[in-house]
């Protein structure tokens, strides 16, 4: 073989070995939820924007393009493909906006703290010029980062590095929505409000969830990664003796939302991960809030993984990781008013100072079904241990939650699922 032939062969071999470009990867934008894959498969299933015509298939690279594609939350079938990183905190020209850009009417953090210091203000709800300025400033930020997602919509990330930064996706009254293969990070609230009477000592309240389902139905969230990446709350200062929180939930499912499947997703580095049902008195949630959570990873999450009121929630094949240095961990599974959690084959990894009894917390809950649980590699009975260790402070839970899941994929052992989730959950990992 001549030198020229060798060179040509090397070029051809190089071409054959070049990795496929992200745009050449399998197109998932018209995928629909598989039959029986959790509650979102009930009553006709979840198809998102799979029927969209070519005029309503968008590839978006910045906030302005994303807003145009969302079309004000319209119900027209649409597919929105996110390319690269989109920052919601930008103006119409694409320039980044920070908290100072949103502040108006004389608002300032130091002024706000001086005005409502409990030592001088007392325990009354904040009011007056600085609270009014905070509300006006917050409204300016909300206008930029709260993005309405309408019915019959699919939002997918292209390739393995699609990111939506600083945004809060709101599915309010929406039906038939799919969100897949997307990292959503740092829904950062520039203007937390002080609530003097919360929790007895007062607390800071933030406004934005990375994804908020409010009266939404038939929603499939799959292979997403949600976190505080960029602004972890642990680095925020303490004001009035309380951490100055900047983030609310990663995923909230409230206000009679129903028929939701959350699969193969990663929830990380956050305080409150998933809230299902937002109030003990929200009796309109009865018969709703049917949610399946399977093959998800919860890593460095302090609480609400999930916390449930009223809903029938199937929690199976999930992986929980509490890091060694986590001294603020509170619980993983929250059993609240009229909740009916059917938990099976979940795996927990914790450091030595966290015990099995710490994994479940009950507020007015009455029942929890559990089976196949692994704790640091050993099989345990979450229900029996919870009742034995917490009987003095919480009522005993029964095992009868009143229903048995029938809509689900193959249920693996906790050990098998643990390994699969560790390698397969999150954005950029769709097979």
């Amino acid at each position: 073989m001549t030198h020229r032939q060798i060179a040509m062969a090397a070029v051809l071999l190089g071409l054959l070995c070049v990795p496929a470009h992200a745009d050449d990867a399998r197109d998932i934008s018209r995928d629909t939820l598989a039959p029986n894959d959790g509650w979102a498969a009930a009553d006709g299933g979840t198809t998102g924007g799979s029927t969209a015509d070519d005029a309503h298939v968008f590839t978006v690279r910045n906030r302005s393009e994303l807003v145009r594609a969302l079309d004000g939350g319209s119900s027209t079938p649409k597919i929105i493909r996110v390319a690269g990183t989109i920052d919601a905190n930008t103006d119409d020209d694409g320039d980044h906006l920070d908290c100072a850009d949103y502040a108006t009417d004389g608002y300032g953090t130091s002024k706000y703290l001086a005005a409502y210091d409990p030592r001088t203000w007392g325990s009354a709800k904040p009011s007056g010029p600085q609270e009014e300025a905070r509300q006006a400033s917050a409204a300016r930020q909300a206008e930029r980062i709260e993005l309405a997602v309408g019915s019959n919509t699919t939002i997918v990330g292209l390739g393995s590095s699609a990111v939506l930064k600083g945004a809060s996706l709101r599915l309010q009254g929406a039906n038939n929505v799919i969100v897949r293969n997307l990292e959503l990070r740092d829904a950062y609230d520039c203007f937390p409000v002080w609530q003097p009477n919360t929790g007895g000592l007062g607390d800071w309240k933030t406004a934005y969830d990375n994804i908020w389902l409010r009266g939404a139905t038939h929603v499939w969230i799959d292979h997403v990664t949600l976190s505080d990446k960029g602004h972890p709350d642990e680095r925020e200062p303490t004001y009035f003796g309380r951490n100055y929180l900047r983030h609310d939930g990663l995923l909230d499912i409230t206000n009679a939302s129903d028929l939701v499947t959350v699969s193969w997703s990663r929830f990380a580095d956050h305080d409150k991960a998933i809230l299902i049902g937002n109030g003990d008195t929200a009796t309109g949630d009865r018969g709703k809030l049917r949610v399946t959570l399977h093959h998800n990873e919860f890593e460095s999450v302090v609480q609400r993984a999930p916390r449930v009121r009223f809903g029938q929630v199937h929690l199976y094949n999930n992986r929980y990781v509490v890091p060694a240095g986590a001294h603020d961990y509170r619980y993983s599974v929250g059993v609240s008013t009229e909740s009916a959690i059917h938990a099976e084959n979940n795996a927990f990894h914790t450091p030595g100072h966290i015990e099995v009894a710490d994994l479940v917390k009950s507020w007015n809950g009455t029942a929890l079904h559990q089976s196949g649980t692994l704790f640091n590699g050993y099989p345990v009975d979450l229900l029996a241990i919870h009742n034995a260790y917490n009987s003095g402070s919480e009522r005993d839970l029964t095992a009868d939650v009143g229903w048995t899941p029938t809509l689900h994929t193959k249920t693996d052992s906790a050990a098998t699922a643990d390994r699969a989730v560790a390698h397969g959950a999150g954005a950029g990992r769709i097979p």
Side-chain angles (χ1 to χ4, degrees):
M1 182 178 288
T2 67
H3 290 295
R4 180 181 177 84
Q5 289 172 323
I6 293 171
M8 288 297 295
V11 170
L12 289 172
L13 181 61
L15 290 173
L16 291 173
C17 294
V18 172
H21 189 272
D23 290 339
D24 297 327
R26 179 174 72 86
D27 182 10
I28 63 170
S29 61
R30 293 191 186 272
D31 286 359
T32 61
L33 180 64
N36 298 316
D37 191 353
W39 275 116
D43 299 345
T46 299
T47 60
S50 61
T51 63
D53 58 29
D54 290 344
H56 292 92
V57 178
F58 309 93
T59 298
V60 298
R61 296 173 175 83
N62 55 54
R63 180 192 175 278
S64 294
E65 291 178 349
L66 175 59
V67 168
R68 284 196 295 271
L70 287 168
D71 191 26
S74 78
S75 61
T76 303
K78 64 185 74 68
I79 294 171
I80 301 172
R81 302 184 295 193
V82 177
T85 297
I86 294 178
D87 185 356
N89 286 291
T90 54
D91 63 19
D92 291 339
D93 294 325
D95 295 325
H96 179 72
L97 300 172
D98 59 24
C99 294
D101 294 313
Y102 294 123
T104 188
D105 296 352
Y107 175 86
T109 302
S110 58
K111 295 178 183 178
Y112 191 88
L113 295 171
Y116 306 114
D117 188 325
R119 294 172 297 183
T120 54
W121 177 261
S123 60
K125 181 179 178 180
S127 62
Q130 270 301 300
E131 172 57 16
E132 292 169 3
R134 186 203 65 77
Q135 292 179 21
S137 302
R140 295 183 68 186
Q141 184 183 20
E143 183 180 6
R144 305 307 297 178
I145 73 170
E146 290 185 343
L147 304 176
V149 179
S151 299
N152 308 312
T153 298
T154 292
I155 303 175
V156 299
L158 288 178
S160 60
S161 56
V163 177
L164 186 53
K165 177 182 176 183
S168 177
L169 295 182
R170 290 208 166 191
L171 283 62
Q172 184 160 350
N175 177 64
N176 194 31
V177 176
I178 295 173
V179 182
R180 301 184 74 200
N181 196 43
L182 183 64
E183 180 180 352
L184 298 107
R185 71 169 71 146
D186 193 24
Y188 186 86
D189 187 351
C190 287
F191 308 102
V193 59
W194 175 243
Q195 296 185 322
N197 295 311
T198 300
L201 299 175
D203 210 350
W204 294 98
K205 170 82 173 165
T206 54
Y208 309 116
D209 307 308
N210 292 51
I211 305 178
W212 185 15
L213 279 58
R214 183 181 174 91
T217 55
H218 284 108
V219 178
W220 179 29
I221 297 171
D222 177 68
H223 280 92
V224 302
T225 297
L226 304 101
S227 76
D228 295 346
K229 188 174 182 179
H231 289 102
D233 280 336
E234 63 186 21
R235 296 183 187 172
E236 298 294 337
T238 297
Y239 296 135
F240 306 156
R242 307 294 283 173
N243 185 230
Y244 193 55
L245 294 176
R246 297 293 196 154
H247 304 94
D248 195 5
L250 293 177
L251 169 63
D252 276 16
I253 303 170
T254 66
N255 298 82
S257 292
D258 200 19
L259 303 178
V260 178
T261 296
V262 182
S263 56
W264 294 98
S265 293
R266 187 167 185 269
F267 300 81
D269 306 315
H270 188 78
D271 184 355
K272 304 176 181 72
I274 302 177
L275 179 65
I276 301 175
N278 61 323
D280 291 343
T281 60
T283 55
D285 287 343
R286 287 177 179 146
K288 306 291 186 179
L289 300 176
R290 292 173 291 179
V291 179
T292 300
L293 302 171
H294 74 84
H295 293 92
N296 302 294
E297 181 174 60
F298 299 90
E299 182 174 1
S300 299
V301 167
V302 176
Q303 56 185 316
R304 296 186 182 178
R307 179 176 177 178
V308 182
R309 297 179 176 93
F310 295 103
Q312 292 183 345
V313 175
H314 191 194
L315 184 69
Y316 76 93
N317 282 171
N318 298 287
R319 167 183 164 90
Y320 295 79
V321 180
V322 183
H327 296 290
D328 57 350
Y329 174 81
R330 294 186 60 186
Y331 68 92
S332 292
V333 180
V335 183
S336 298
T337 302
E338 296 186 34
S339 63
I341 302 172
H342 194 285
E344 53 184 324
N345 298 12
N346 299 294
F348 295 83
H349 302 268
T350 76
H353 67 278
I354 294 175
E355 300 180 1
V356 178
D358 299 321
L359 303 180
V360 175
K361 177 70 177 173
S362 175
W363 297 264
N364 301 319
T366 60
L368 170 67
H369 171 91
Q370 80 82 44
S371 61
T373 304
L374 282 185
F375 178 75
N376 290 332
Y378 295 92
V380 296
D381 187 330
L382 279 181
L383 180 62
I385 294 173
H386 172 273
N387 287 342
Y389 279 77
N390 296 287
S391 59
S393 58
E394 301 173 11
R395 75 172 75 177
D396 283 356
L397 302 174
T398 71
D400 183 7
V401 294
W403 72 293
T404 300
T406 57
L407 292 170
H408 55 82
T409 57
K410 180 178 180 290
T411 305
D412 295 316
S413 70
T416 297
D418 187 35
R419 292 189 295 269
V421 171
H423 291 95
R429 293 181 171 184
I430 293 181

